[in-house]
Amino acid sequence: MSSKDKMLITGGHPLVGEITVSGGKNTAVAVIPAALLCNAPCTIENLPDIEDVHALIDILRLLGAKVEYVPECYMRIDASTATGCHVPYSLTRRLRASYYLLGALLGRQGMAEVAYPGGCDFCSRPIDQHLKGFAALGADIHDRGGVVYAKADKLVGNDVFFDVVTVGGTINVMLAAARAQGTTVIYNAAKEPHIVDLANFLNSMGAKVKGAGTDVIRIRGVQELHGCTYTVIPDQIETGTLMIAAAATRGDVTIRGCIPTHMEALTAKLLEMGVRVTENDDSIRVRPQGIQRAVNIKTRVYPGFPTDLQQPMTSLLCMAQGVSTVSETIFEQRFKHLDELRRMGAKIKLMDRTVLIEGVPELYGAPVTVTDLRAGAALVVAGLMAKGVTEIYETSYIDRGYERIEEKLRKLGAEIRREPI
Ligand code: EPU
């Protein structure tokens, strides 16, 4: 990846004010391919205007679907004209979630040829469980030359037991099973909010999905789905990133349009640190109260502490009083941000999958490089905390998942801008 600009942040300004969170990235990237499962127009609202969404539009158009997108309003997908089944690497390399085209195309027409995905490369991210699920439904799977070929004359519902809890695998099997013959039961399913949101979207199209949000999901396949209008849930990782940024700058920020119950694991840790967090029905306010203390964190599947907030949280803990530990249990090498934080004065030691962080009184600005989306969020948080100017390179990783991030932070008082390189 090679970005044409860099982000410049002059740290030390407390974020103050109100901000509305965008629609969920990880919901958006599942719901958009899901629209391929029906031959009538679907209108999807509250989609974030991010690079991953643009990459999916290009893929759907290549497959022959009609897509009309008015950012911040709606996307209308009419898949009745889609006949393609091949998605080349030139497109799948742009986003991880391109693997959802496998489930969506299998469900639609029993045939998919999708190149292995690109996206954020923070460690090996296998999709064996997705493929095992498709095979259980009767698909014949093989891969050659970096492309997964999946074919089924008829998909038939079956029991699928995941060996690991996988968000992507759960979503992919739900997509394939929605139009299979008979009932599919996914055991050891992931429970993330975007899985519930996808189930709600599928059910709005006439699918029969029950149990999403628990670890057993039942999908009774239907022959046909119909069009619908659907609004995706707010992005809990953007919400969390903004909460962390507020705490990191000792600001006073109200985040509107979020779902506070999705944030419980982070809220609990911020409270433990000594940050004041108050919740309303659809807003969260984060304010400082005295010293911020070190805490210990272990990433877990939902409703545990999300791996996607591990990196920004590490930045916040760099200036907490005492020694914190952050253990990553989902992606064993999601630590590429640590070297960059060290450049900024952080005292960090990585031992196996656990980061030991000794709080320092200050971080200072430095040139740093983003290596993946949430590493980018971590460096933005660190830049907001640091004394002086932080120059962030490879910003396109950030644009993959955060809508207009600098505009939002500037509105809260941050000194942040982009410059061409
Ligand atoms: N795994 C396997 N085999 C599989 C699938 C997963 O071994 O077939 C392992 C992975 O290696 C990992 C664990 O299972 O150790 C969990 O992976 P999961 O499948 O849940 O992750 P994912 O579907 O690839 C999604 C999000 C990630 C988020 C994780 C965990 C999308 C598009 N991506 O990834 O989001 O970190 O779930 O919650 O929804 C991000 O937003 O920055 C991001 C990376």
Side-chain angles (χ1 to χ4, degrees), residues 25-26 29 97 99-100 122 124-130 164-168 192 194 307-308 330-331 334 373-374:
K25 165 184 110 60
N26 288 344
V29 297
Y99 50 40
Y100 293 143
F122 41 75
S124 131
R125 297 171 72 183
I127 59 166
D128 58 296
Q129 299 297 306
H130 307 219
V164 290
V165 179
T166 153
V167 172
E192 268 67 4
H194 36 290
T307 170
D308 293 344
I330 313 284
F331 293 114
R334 206 173 194 178
L373 169 60
R374 308 302 172 188

Side-chain angles (χ1 to χ4, degrees), residues 322-376:
V323 177
S324 302
T325 62
V326 176
S327 301
E328 174 58 63
T329 72
I330 313 284
F331 293 114
E332 70 276 10
Q333 289 156 28
R334 206 173 194 178
F335 294 119
K336 292 191 175 171
H337 56 304
L338 298 183
D339 279 341
E340 308 307 295
L341 290 176
R342 282 193 195 100
R343 282 173 193 270
M344 300 177 71
K347 277 200 172 169
I348 299 175
K349 212 154 98 186
L350 180 62
M351 294 173 71
D352 193 18
R353 286 171 162 217
T354 298
V355 193
L356 288 179
I357 309 162
E358 191 185 326
V360 292
E362 63 183 25
L363 295 177
Y364 38 86
V368 289
T369 298
V370 177
T371 49
D372 59 81
L373 169 60
R374 308 302 172 188

Side-chain angles (χ1 to χ4, degrees), residues 81-413:
T81 48
T83 50
C85 70
H86 184 79
V87 189
Y89 183 62
S90 55
L91 289 171
T92 63
R93 67 189 285 274
R94 288 169 61 189
L95 82 162
R96 186 82 206 152
S98 53
Y99 50 40
Y100 293 143
L101 271 307
L102 279 168
L105 288 170
L106 256 184
R108 177 183 174 80
Q109 59 210 28
M111 173 110 124
E113 300 176 3
V114 181
Y116 273 101
C120 288
D121 175 23
F122 41 75
C123 65
S124 131
R125 297 171 72 183
I127 59 166
D128 58 296
Q129 299 297 306
H130 307 219
L131 304 184
K132 171 178 138 171
F134 299 146
L137 268 56
D140 181 26
I141 312 280
H142 66 276
D143 64 5
R144 200 176 49 236
V147 176
V148 179
Y149 296 85
K151 192 172 181 309
D153 295 332
K154 192 169 72 177
L155 282 178
V156 181
N158 200 350
D159 288 352
V160 176
F161 196 103
F162 284 129
D163 302 327
V164 290
V165 179
T166 153
V167 172
T170 303
I171 287 178
N172 238 340
V173 172
M174 285 166 73
L175 293 173
R179 284 182 51 187
Q181 216 173 72
T183 298
T184 299
V185 185
I186 305 176
Y187 295 94
N188 202 23
K191 295 185 274 201
E192 268 67 4
H194 36 290
I195 287 175
V196 179
D197 211 29
L198 173 69
N200 289 339
F201 176 65
L202 291 172
N203 288 341
S204 303
M205 292 199 291
K208 307 280 179 214
V209 183
K210 282 188 176 161
T214 75
D215 52 14
V216 181
I217 302 178
R218 287 190 159 72
I219 306 127
R220 182 147 63 80
V222 295
Q223 264 189 351
E224 217 178 313
L225 294 174
H226 54 72
C228 68
T229 296
Y230 191 77
T231 304
V232 303
I233 53 167
D235 195 309
Q236 79 262 33
I237 304 303
E238 187 198 7
T239 304
T241 305
L242 291 168
M243 290 168 72
I244 291 169
T249 60
R250 300 183 161 267
D252 181 351
V253 176
T254 300
I255 301 152
R256 298 215 173 273
C258 60
I259 301 178
T261 49
H262 291 169
M263 306 312 306
E264 296 302 353
L266 173 65
T267 299
K269 279 297 158 189
L270 291 178
L271 290 171
E272 199 182 320
M273 285 182 73
V275 178
R276 201 146 37 129
V277 184
T278 43
E279 297 174 355
N280 274 315
D281 287 351
D282 68 346
S283 68
I284 297 178
R285 183 172 177 193
V286 179
R287 281 174 285 175
Q289 83 181 354
I291 289 168
Q292 292 182 359
R293 294 180 293 273
V295 291
N296 299 324
I297 286 172
K298 202 174 248 191
T299 62
R300 294 281 184 209
V301 294
Y302 187 82
F305 194 93
T307 170
D308 293 344
L309 289 176
Q310 175 261 109
Q311 291 153 299
M313 192 67 182
T314 299
S315 299
L316 171 64
L317 293 173
C318 285
M319 282 176 61
Q321 198 175 73
V323 177
S324 302
T325 62
V326 176
S327 301
E328 174 58 63
T329 72
I330 313 284
F331 293 114
E332 70 276 10
Q333 289 156 28
R334 206 173 194 178
F335 294 119
K336 292 191 175 171
H337 56 304
L338 298 183
D339 279 341
E340 308 307 295
L341 290 176
R342 282 193 195 100
R343 282 173 193 270
M344 300 177 71
K347 277 200 172 169
I348 299 175
K349 212 154 98 186
L350 180 62
M351 294 173 71
D352 193 18
R353 286 171 162 217
T354 298
V355 193
L356 288 179
I357 309 162
E358 191 185 326
V360 292
E362 63 183 25
L363 295 177
Y364 38 86
V368 289
T369 298
V370 177
T371 49
D372 59 81
L373 169 60
R374 308 302 172 188
L379 296 178
V380 169
V381 168
L384 294 169
M385 295 161 79
K387 231 182 178 157
V389 180
T390 299
E391 279 178 36
I392 302 180
Y393 291 85
E394 299 301 351
T395 53
S396 45
Y397 282 108
I398 302 174
D399 299 329
R400 201 178 258 178
Y402 289 92
E403 181 178 60
R404 294 180 284 104
I405 188 166
E406 68 264 40
E407 195 183 313
K408 288 190 180 186
L409 292 173
R410 214 179 295 126
K411 192 173 163 231
L412 294 172

